[in-house]
Amino acid sequence: MVKRILIIEDEQIMSDLLQRKLSEEGYEVLLAGDGEEGLVKMRSGKPDLILLDIVMPRLGGIEVLEEMQKEPDLKKIPVIVISNSGQPVELDKAQRLGAKDWLVKTEFDPAEVIEKVKKNLGE
Amino acid sequence: MAKDLNKIPDQEPEALENSKRIFSQLPLPACLIGDNGIILGVNDEFGRLSGYSANEMEGRSFENIFFERNEAVSAMEGAVKKRIELRLIAKNGLSVPVNLFLSGKKEGQKGNIAVLYDMTEAKKSRELLEERVERRTKDLEESRTALMNILEDVEEAKRAAEEEKDRTMALISNFTDGLLFFDKRNRLSLINPKAQSIFCTKAGEVTGKHMASLGEIEKMRPLKEMLGDDIRDVSREEMALNQNLIVEISTISVLKQGEQTGTLVIVHDVTREKMVEKLKTEFVSLSAHQLRTPLSAIKWTLKMFLEGDLGKITEEQKEYLGKTYQSNERMIGLINDLLNVTRIEEGRYLYKLEAADPAVLVQDVVDSLKEQIKNRNIKFTFLKPKKKISEIKADEEKIKLVIYNLLANALAYTPQGRSISIFIEEEGGEVKIGVKDEGIGIPKDQQGRIFTKFFRGANAMKVDTGGSGLGLYISKNIVEAHGGSIWFESEEGKGTTFYFKIPKGGRQGA
């Protein structure tokens, strides 16, 4: 069965690149440009995994994680945080709110993101 | 004498004889004066006093035997008995001080008996006394003058002291820093207006109070908590009194002849500096963050081109894109350095201190630089310790950054074919890590500035123009935040060895 991945990222080129890479790898990709849209899409689309940016307009990544904690259905979806800053404080907070893994954008490239996705989907 | 006696016709001869005997034997100098003021006779005592014999005296005018002739005349003409001071002219020409007594005489009668008291001795002793009084007076006068001088000096000193005090008080009052002076029993004896305004208090409320009881005044509590009841020594320690008031506290022991007479507490308002510093740091931090997003997009795009994810590209295109990718990586490195510096300056740099195996940290960094080491054609050795090295208490990522910076520098500044080695040793309570290269070295005159922010050695600039001059500054801050130290040995043209030490920690930790 094709795994569905939701990318919540406001920087369009980043989500485009990720979508392309993930599609090449055979995943089905959903896109959301901010946290609010992300919550709507995860409720309707039931993704197997979420790639979540932290700094976003309207609703940020940390708030998205907080919302997900309140809903059992959403809480069990694995989340990989894609962080711009890589600040330990931020990453720690994300992990406490259930994020399974994280990566810092400037330190990773799309191929490595795929590795993390596969690992977290148990593939 | 017989002629004279005849002039006293009414006197009986026997009585006259008696008178003469009494007169001649009188133990005081005396002379008999006739009505016309002529001396009729003198006794023996008179002769002794004046040096004249009776014969020489008789027939002379009485007033002529004194220096003060007029006074003698008026004394003889006077109606009453009186004593006057005169000077007798002795035969040797000297004057003899005498007191003259003239016996009372009847109306119209000039005849008289004059009795003289020799005042020589009396006068001498009086003179002596006078001289003594004079001397004493002079002494007193001198003492008084001396005393007056002393008083004037004291007055002057007092005036000078008061002037000095006024000047000091003016200085203290108008000083732009807050000043508090505690006496040797740690009681507040002085607080200047600036300090009063900083602590929102009045001198009257706090002066005289012990440091311990100042803690009861809410505004003063932070100061008491920082310095303690005994006022410990501090130098420029920061204290936030509220969000808009940050001060730096310093204390100075006031000594007098080696003994402490009190403590001066200086309160320097650094709110503005801190604000500016914070704004600057925030600006750099924000811009660095903002720069990272597009840099990530470029990195990912280039990487996907290079890996063929975005379609086939020619070898030439690949080469250019590869170089662009490297430039972008360098830019990311610079931005990361800037961010690290802002975090150091915001004082929130070290994150979590956990027990870490230094050999593992070094190995991780060596692995991450494997490609570069291979490309540089350098003889590289990691001298692994023979026995297990103790763990250190460290923020792993930060210590790895230090090792990375030192190793990356060694790689950048060591020519092809030379060697670089890295080693770990245990020294007492610390673990020492060293990176030794055979590179260009650090010029002697620049060695003192090597850990300064943005500083780059002149020879290093020629070899590699891309460095930020932040690596060693960041490394030093990281090592010192761990309670360690960093230093180097270097000779220009021969090579450099950088060392750093971190205290042991974790389970085996001291």
Side-chain angles (χ1 to χ4, degrees), chain B residues 25-184:
Chain B
Q25 284 171 9
L26 203 65
L28 290 167
C31 65
L32 205 58
I33 307 159
D35 284 351
N36 48 8
I38 299 294
I39 296 172
L40 299 178
V42 296
N43 69 354
D44 297 347
E45 281 298 318
F46 188 92
R48 259 193 288 284
L49 181 66
S50 65
Y52 290 105
S53 67
N55 283 338
E56 286 169 322
M57 271 312 204
E58 283 166 13
R60 291 180 66 179
S61 286
F62 179 68
E63 70 254 36
N64 285 343
I65 66 170
F66 297 104
F67 281 100
E68 299 86 359
R69 226 177 276 172
N70 295 339
E71 286 178 38
V73 172
S74 50
M76 280 188 294
E77 283 170 355
V80 288
K81 252 201 264 185
K82 64 197 259 183
R83 187 187 78 165
I84 55 168
E85 277 179 42
L86 296 171
R87 286 176 300 156
L88 181 70
I89 306 168
K91 194 179 178 184
N92 58 12
L94 295 176
S95 74
V96 180
V98 290
N99 273 356
L100 167 67
F101 272 95
L102 287 168
S103 63
K105 56 175 186 176
K106 290 176 187 125
E107 194 69 35
Q109 184 187 349
K110 270 193 176 174
N112 222 334
I113 289 175
V115 176
L116 303 174
Y117 287 97
D118 179 3
M119 297 305 288
T120 311
E121 284 307 311
K123 192 143 187 187
K124 231 183 239 167
S125 54
R126 200 169 69 197
E127 268 169 16
L128 208 68
L129 188 69
E130 266 170 13
E131 197 188 304
R132 259 154 75 184
V133 167
E134 200 178 317
R135 211 168 42 232
R136 193 87 189 95
T137 310
K138 207 174 146 205
D139 282 355
L140 281 173
E141 198 69 33
E142 278 170 6
S143 303
R144 188 175 157 274
T145 311
L147 209 64
M148 287 305 284
N149 285 342
I150 290 171
L151 271 176
E152 262 169 39
D153 287 353
V154 168
E155 234 1 76
E156 180 62 34
K158 201 175 143 196
R159 208 164 33 242
E162 254 158 30
E163 261 171 38
E164 183 66 37
K165 193 183 161 199
D166 286 349
R167 254 202 309 274
T168 310
M169 283 314 287
L171 254 174
I172 289 173
S173 300
N174 297 305
F175 209 63
T176 49
D177 282 350
L179 297 174
L180 298 98
F181 185 77
F182 289 88
D183 66 15
K184 59 183 170 189

Side-chain angles (χ1 to χ4, degrees), chain B residues 250-472:
Chain B
S250 302
T251 58
I252 296 170
S253 289
V254 180
L255 300 174
K256 196 173 180 185
Q257 280 143 12
E259 207 180 310
Q260 184 162 354
T261 56
T263 311
L264 182 66
V265 177
I266 302 167
V267 187
H268 181 55
D269 187 346
V270 291
T271 313
R272 213 182 118 75
E273 284 101 308
K274 288 287 154 191
M275 293 290 213
V276 172
E277 211 173 278
K278 194 163 167 252
L279 279 176
K280 186 196 82 185
T281 307
E282 275 172 4
F283 171 74
V284 175
S285 173
L286 189 74
S287 20
H289 274 294
Q290 295 300 340
L291 284 168
R292 278 163 71 107
T293 306
L295 287 175
S296 302
I298 296 167
K299 177 186 168 96
W300 286 23
T301 310
L302 290 172
K303 194 73 182 177
M304 284 176 75
F305 266 119
L306 285 167
E307 287 179 352
D309 290 326
L310 303 172
K312 264 187 109 61
I313 52 170
T314 67
E315 274 308 305
E316 199 188 5
Q317 285 167 336
K318 196 173 176 177
E319 203 187 313
Y320 279 116
L321 286 176
K323 281 179 182 161
T324 312
Y325 183 83
Q326 287 311 322
S327 294
N328 191 55
E329 283 295 285
R330 220 168 71 205
M331 184 107 88
I332 290 170
L334 289 175
I335 297 293
N336 284 342
D337 280 354
L338 274 178
L339 274 173
N340 280 324
V341 169
T342 61
R343 281 175 205 152
I344 285 169
E345 286 166 2
E346 281 170 356
R348 54 184 177 90
Y349 194 50
L350 285 194
Y351 182 56
K352 246 188 227 163
L353 292 177
E354 280 167 328
D357 180 344
V360 171
L361 300 183
V362 171
Q363 190 62 59
D364 280 357
V365 176
V366 169
D367 288 348
S368 75
L369 283 166
K370 207 172 268 168
E371 280 294 296
Q372 278 164 268
I373 294 168
K374 212 169 74 188
N375 294 343
R376 283 298 319 279
N377 182 24
I378 289 240
K379 279 172 265 166
F380 177 80
T381 17
F382 174 16
L383 303 162
K384 293 195 174 97
K386 289 188 183 75
K387 65 180 187 78
K388 180 132 177 61
I389 291 281
S390 300
E391 288 183 322
I392 53 172
K393 213 173 172 70
D395 179 333
E396 274 191 34
E397 289 306 313
K398 301 297 184 327
I399 292 297
K400 280 207 262 191
L401 184 57
V402 176
I403 301 166
Y404 176 88
N405 283 340
L406 297 182
L407 212 47
N409 278 350
L411 282 168
Y413 304 120
T414 302
Q416 301 270 346
R418 304 257 187 100
S419 57
I420 292 173
S421 61
I422 183 163
F423 55 90
I424 312 176
E425 285 165 10
E426 247 186 87
E427 265 187 18
E430 293 172 309
V431 172
K432 182 167 93 176
I433 296 176
V435 178
K436 183 177 165 61
D437 69 38
E438 293 178 354
I440 58 173
I442 304 161
K444 205 146 205 95
D445 62 334
Q446 294 173 16
Q447 292 190 352
R449 294 160 67 197
I450 208 73
F451 292 109
T452 317
K453 187 161 62 171
F454 297 119
F455 178 79
R456 299 196 63 216
N459 54 349
M461 298 269 263
K462 284 187 198 137
V463 177
D464 173 22
T465 50
S468 65
L470 292 171
L472 288 175

